[in-house]
Amino acid sequence: MVDRLLKDDATEEKGERARMASFVGGMAISDLVKTTLGPKGMDKILQSTGRGRSVTVTNDGATILKSLHIDNPAAKVLVDISKVQDDEVGDGTTSVVVLAGELLREAEKLVNMKIHPMTIIAGFRMAAECARDALLQRAMDNKEDSDKFRSDLMNIAMTTLSSKILSQDKEYFAGLAVDAVLRLKGSTNLEAIQILKKTGGSLKDSFLDEGFILDKKIGLGQPKRIENAKILVANTAMDTDKVKIYGARVRVDSMAKVAEIEAAEKQKMREKVQKIIDAGILAIEHADFEGIERLALVTGGDIASTFDNPESVKLGHCKVIEEIMIGEDRLIHFSGVEMGQACTIVLRGASEHVLDEAERSLHDALCVLSQTVNDTRVLYGGGWPEMVMAKEVDGLARKTPGKKSHAIEAFSRALQSIPTIIADNAGLDSADLISQLRAEHHKEQSTAGIDVISGGVGDMEKLGISESFKAKQAVLMSATEAAEMILRVDEIVTCAPRRREDRM
């Protein structure tokens, strides 16, 4: 009667089969996003099943994986690491999934060679530590020299953007992103940087504006410009005292009584307005909620929920409020705001899809930059870090006795697959390129990486291709942990789907 342990229709897969299902799921997810890796990566079109069938065009790993409905539990683990990478550092969402997938591909071969998963995990652990130390030794830090550091930031931003839709104007957008992040003075709170999307014009027409722009028009009969404004931010409706039509029953015996009720309402409303009014006031209603929270943050005011005692509310301040035009739209511009680091990046572009993808790209760059301002260590890019790590890990494998050495070697191969894929996506001969790279890296302190533009091995220092140390470290550690977690699985228990009762 052992079989009756699980409820009807619940299935379980044990041992080899469970492991196979996990490996296959992980590798399939990795194969799905690996074509988007690198400066020549392709985009995916995601079409939702919801109403309106909205379409997203993107090559952002986390965005692609977030939109998938996945049944395979191992694949879900990889989706999660890309999400965490997105939240933590913003960029490297594709790399982390690809690396985890390659580690699983290598692990599968080792398991078939009858090496126990725990041995593989132990080897992977040692290799990851060794790879991280290799990065630590080669990371550069220019935080003392502000000009050098700024050029580091520019290079990181350009490298991040070169694999995205903004790659054509990457210098321009890298400049915008660096300016915006340097205004934050080391805070990683990206709330202060607002990204406003307006269709029309081309991406080149985007600009950075200090201050805050609210996507609203100024109402009729109100001043179009106010200097040294005090700002009361409230999230409460003005007309809360009206007798709402629905569900309220008022019995009156004549029309005059109705008029009295209306007059009382008007009076109450007038009192409320009188409390907060200042002649020449500019009122903006229905500012979208994200706008309200950000407005309170940027102008330094509190959000009031009642108008009863406005004198106790902390008011926001700003030097000038005026109406501006962007494209065909009128917006309200707050400049000289309390929070000096606040700014708005206005994105222009051909269509909603282009703008959405441009915003995702810019957001990645802003995240990476704000992280780099905190942890100022920088690495070269273009597959250079992977080759540096692979070389050290190979050295470790030669020194390690026993079966672990196979796992450590496999880790090194998985690391080299990242530059391999970058080269493949650019239509280059990856086998030839990687062997050239390996030879270059056997020299001391080499700065060689893949130059996809010229299609050969290039000097990353001269080309100015840089990445953030923090992002690379996060990719390495998360991918190793995810692969390890999937390797530990030896049984998958799936609950029976809930049945619909026949309602006859």
Side-chain angles (χ1 to χ4, degrees):
M1 290 301 290
V2 182
D3 299 347
R4 309 297 309 131
L5 182 66
L6 298 172
K7 232 173 151 182
D8 300 347
D9 287 351
T11 54
E12 60 177 329
E13 293 184 6
K14 283 196 159 81
E16 283 299 295
R17 291 201 46 189
R19 205 164 280 130
M20 277 308 301
S22 305
F23 287 156
V24 169
M27 292 188 287
I29 285 287
S30 159
D31 288 345
L32 173 77
V33 292
K34 79 180 189 196
T35 53
T36 68
L37 191 68
K40 295 267 198 262
M42 293 300 191
D43 290 7
K44 311 269 183 212
I45 290 187
L46 309 168
Q47 186 171 17
S48 79
T49 49
R51 282 212 305 249
R53 289 269 168 138
S54 61
V55 169
T56 311
V57 183
T58 181
N59 74 353
D60 181 54
T63 309
I64 295 168
L65 294 177
K66 246 192 327 225
S67 322
L68 298 179
H69 290 285
I70 297 172
D71 215 11
N72 183 303
K76 283 208 172 81
V77 173
L78 295 196
V79 173
D80 282 348
I81 58 170
S82 83
K83 227 194 232 132
V84 170
Q85 182 76 13
D86 199 28
D87 298 342
E88 276 280 294
V89 263
D91 197 23
T93 47
T94 308
S95 313
V96 70
V97 175
V98 170
L99 183 55
E102 293 300 325
L103 285 170
L104 290 176
R105 202 178 303 262
E106 294 293 341
E108 184 188 19
K109 295 177 199 158
L110 296 174
V111 170
N112 292 340
M113 285 161 53
K114 296 284 176 275
I115 295 179
H116 191 274
M118 282 304 163
T119 313
I120 301 174
I121 286 174
F124 278 5
R125 276 267 163 104
M126 288 169 67
E129 278 305 314
C130 167
R132 184 163 155 224
D133 291 342
L135 281 189
L136 275 167
Q137 279 163 6
R138 301 289 300 271
M140 297 157 292
D141 195 341
N142 289 329
K143 66 165 175 269
E144 306 308 324
D145 181 345
S146 58
D147 291 347
K148 255 193 179 160
F149 183 51
R150 190 189 161 93
S151 83
D152 276 352
L153 288 178
M154 278 299 285
N155 287 341
I156 286 181
M158 289 199 298
T159 306
T160 299
L161 293 174
S162 65
S163 60
K164 315 256 195 284
I165 192 170
L166 301 175
S167 59
Q168 302 311 311
D169 311 313
K170 65 182 176 194
E171 280 199 21
Y172 181 66
F173 281 102
L176 290 187
V178 171
D179 287 343
V181 168
L182 285 177
R183 293 178 67 102
L184 292 179
K185 303 191 180 47
S187 115
T188 44
N189 180 7
L190 294 178
E191 288 282 298
I193 300 175
Q194 181 201 19
I195 298 181
L196 197 68
K197 298 176 290 194
K198 282 284 167 212
T199 44
S202 71
L203 283 168
K204 256 278 171 14
D205 301 333
S206 310
F207 60 92
L208 177 87
D209 196 309
E210 62 95 31
F212 179 82
I213 297 178
L214 195 62
D215 198 350
K216 283 278 163 220
K217 294 187 178 67
I218 289 183
L220 291 172
Q222 299 186 2
K224 293 279 187 251
R225 178 187 165 99
I226 292 187
E227 292 186 14
N228 289 332
K230 293 199 196 72
I231 302 165
L232 171 72
V233 186
N235 66 348
T236 170
M238 283 297 287
D239 58 354
T240 40
D241 308 317
K242 276 197 171 162
V243 176
K244 296 285 188 283
I245 307 302
Y246 314 106
R249 288 185 60 182
V250 185
R251 286 201 165 169
V252 288
D253 42 21
S254 71
M255 275 313 281
K257 290 279 197 301
V258 178
E260 273 174 37
I261 291 175
E262 282 183 352
E265 268 179 11
K266 270 187 189 157
Q267 184 55 36
K268 196 154 188 192
M269 192 76 163
R270 184 174 287 122
E271 281 168 20
K272 186 184 264 186
V273 171
Q274 226 44 63
K275 270 185 192 156
I276 53 172
I277 196 160
D278 172 10
I281 193 172
L282 187 166
I284 306 165
E285 58 175 348
H286 301 305
D288 50 332
F289 197 64
E290 186 198 0
I292 279 226
E293 294 210 315
R294 196 172 263 151
L295 189 62
L297 172 86
V298 167
T299 57
D302 289 341
I303 298 181
S305 52
T306 158
F307 293 124
D308 283 347
N309 36 3
E311 56 285 341
S312 67
V313 177
K314 184 173 171 225
L315 294 178
H317 281 281
C318 108
K319 295 221 172 73
V320 180
I321 301 182
E322 58 192 337
E323 189 172 67
I324 56 168
M325 293 281 290
I326 297 179
E328 301 295 300
D329 295 346
R330 294 175 172 196
L331 304 102
I332 306 173
H333 181 233
F334 297 77
S335 55
V337 288
E338 189 87 356
M339 187 173 182
Q341 51 260 56
C343 61
T344 299
I345 296 177
V346 180
L347 289 179
R348 307 299 310 275
S351 73
E352 289 289 336
H353 299 136
V354 173
L355 284 178
D356 288 345
E357 178 63 352
E359 179 184 28
R360 279 189 288 273
S361 311
L362 198 59
H363 180 260
D364 281 7
L366 292 172
C367 286
V368 175
L369 287 173
S370 71
Q371 294 291 343
T372 312
V373 170
N374 275 356
D375 182 342
T376 49
R377 289 170 293 184
V378 176
L379 299 162
Y380 295 119
W384 176 87
E386 284 77 13
M387 294 312 283
V388 168
M389 294 191 279
K391 179 184 165 188
E392 288 295 319
V393 173
D394 265 339
L396 176 69
R398 286 195 211 98
K399 288 187 288 219
T400 309
K403 287 185 174 174
K404 274 190 218 160
S405 63
H406 293 296
I408 298 174
E409 246 170 61
F411 196 94
S412 157
R413 283 197 297 276
L415 283 170
Q416 288 176 35
S417 65
I418 296 239
T420 309
I421 292 167
I422 292 177
D424 284 339
N425 287 348
L428 308 170
D429 177 352
S430 59
D432 180 41
L433 262 178
I434 300 302
S435 51
Q436 279 182 39
L437 257 187
R438 260 211 306 273
E440 280 291 323
H441 273 268
H442 263 281
K443 303 172 189 162
E444 279 302 301
Q445 301 292 324
S446 158
T447 54
I450 296 177
D451 178 4
V452 280
I453 310 303
S454 72
V457 171
D459 181 347
M460 297 293 112
E461 190 172 15
K462 285 203 184 75
L463 293 167
I465 296 176
S466 304
E467 298 189 46
S468 146
F469 169 78
K470 192 164 180 190
K472 260 292 172 268
Q473 174 178 289
V475 166
L476 177 71
M477 293 336 240
S478 301
T480 312
E481 284 174 12
E484 194 179 298
M485 188 167 173
I486 293 170
L487 258 172
R488 286 174 182 272
V489 173
D490 75 335
E491 186 166 352
I492 299 174
V493 180
T494 315
C495 291
R498 285 203 304 232
R499 292 234 178 93
R500 289 186 176 171
E501 296 101 25
D502 294 330
R503 293 199 175 80
M504 286 302 283

